[in-house]
Amino acid sequence: MNASPVHSVSVTGVVIRPEDGRVLVIKRADDGRWVPPGGVLELAETPEECAVREVREETGVEVKPVRLTGVYKNMKLGVVSLAFLCEPVGGEAQVTSEARVVTWMTIQEAVSAVPEARSVRITDAVRDDGPFVRAHDGTHLFSR
């Protein structure tokens, strides 16, 4: 008997400050990678609620989700991630147990620092022709 496929769902909050266009990124405490904040969607919350919670937990910044900008599947791990463009509405960027560094980068700085599978979420979020659907291996995008 074959086991049923198992997927998990996560949410990424791509937080962009309207006054200067900078994006919120963290240096993860567990693996040292630069990424936009995000995490696992809990059963009792909506994707938008997850974006708000994860950004707050990882950065101290309060956000308002604006729109869904993409759906991304890690083909190795079976993780489907929903990315939302978010605007900051309060709080202050601070280091947390999940983030060794929390900072605002230009889009170009973030794209250079973040693995391709995560940086595309940033570039997709600033586009107006989405949402996008993409697959990756955890680091690199799969070509279409």
Side-chain angles (χ1 to χ4, degrees):
M1 176 189 256
N2 290 338
S4 297
V6 177
H7 287 85
S8 68
V9 180
S10 66
V11 176
T12 300
V14 181
V15 185
I16 299 183
R17 286 194 307 212
E19 65 267 20
D20 61 9
R22 288 181 173 261
V23 62
L24 185 64
V25 293
I26 66 169
K27 188 169 191 177
R28 292 173 53 113
D30 59 357
D31 64 10
R33 291 176 121 184
W34 285 101
V35 296
V40 175
L41 176 64
E42 294 180 358
L43 287 175
E45 68 186 349
T46 67
E48 294 89 347
E49 290 168 340
C50 181
V52 170
R53 177 182 56 78
E54 286 289 344
V55 172
R56 180 186 336 104
E57 286 178 0
E58 293 184 359
T59 71
V61 175
E62 297 289 337
V63 299
K64 174 183 154 191
V66 175
R67 63 183 164 83
L68 176 71
T69 57
V71 178
Y72 307 87
K73 182 172 181 188
N74 182 323
M75 299 301 287
K76 283 186 174 180
L77 300 179
V79 176
V80 176
S81 185
L82 309 173
F84 287 88
L85 173 64
C86 298
E87 59 184 44
V89 295
E92 195 164 315
Q94 59 190 4
V95 173
T96 66
S97 62
E98 297 180 63
R100 285 192 270 175
V101 181
V102 177
T103 192
W104 296 93
M105 292 184 179
T106 66
I107 300 295
Q108 295 78 18
E109 290 168 339
V111 168
S112 294
V114 173
E116 180 184 40
R118 301 292 183 91
S119 68
V120 72
R121 298 174 199 192
I122 297 168
T123 56
D124 286 351
V126 298
R127 293 176 57 174
D128 291 327
D129 56 340
F132 299 90
V133 178
R134 303 188 190 274
H136 61 89
D137 64 6
T139 301
H140 301 287
L141 290 176
F142 292 161
S143 59
R144 291 183 174 218

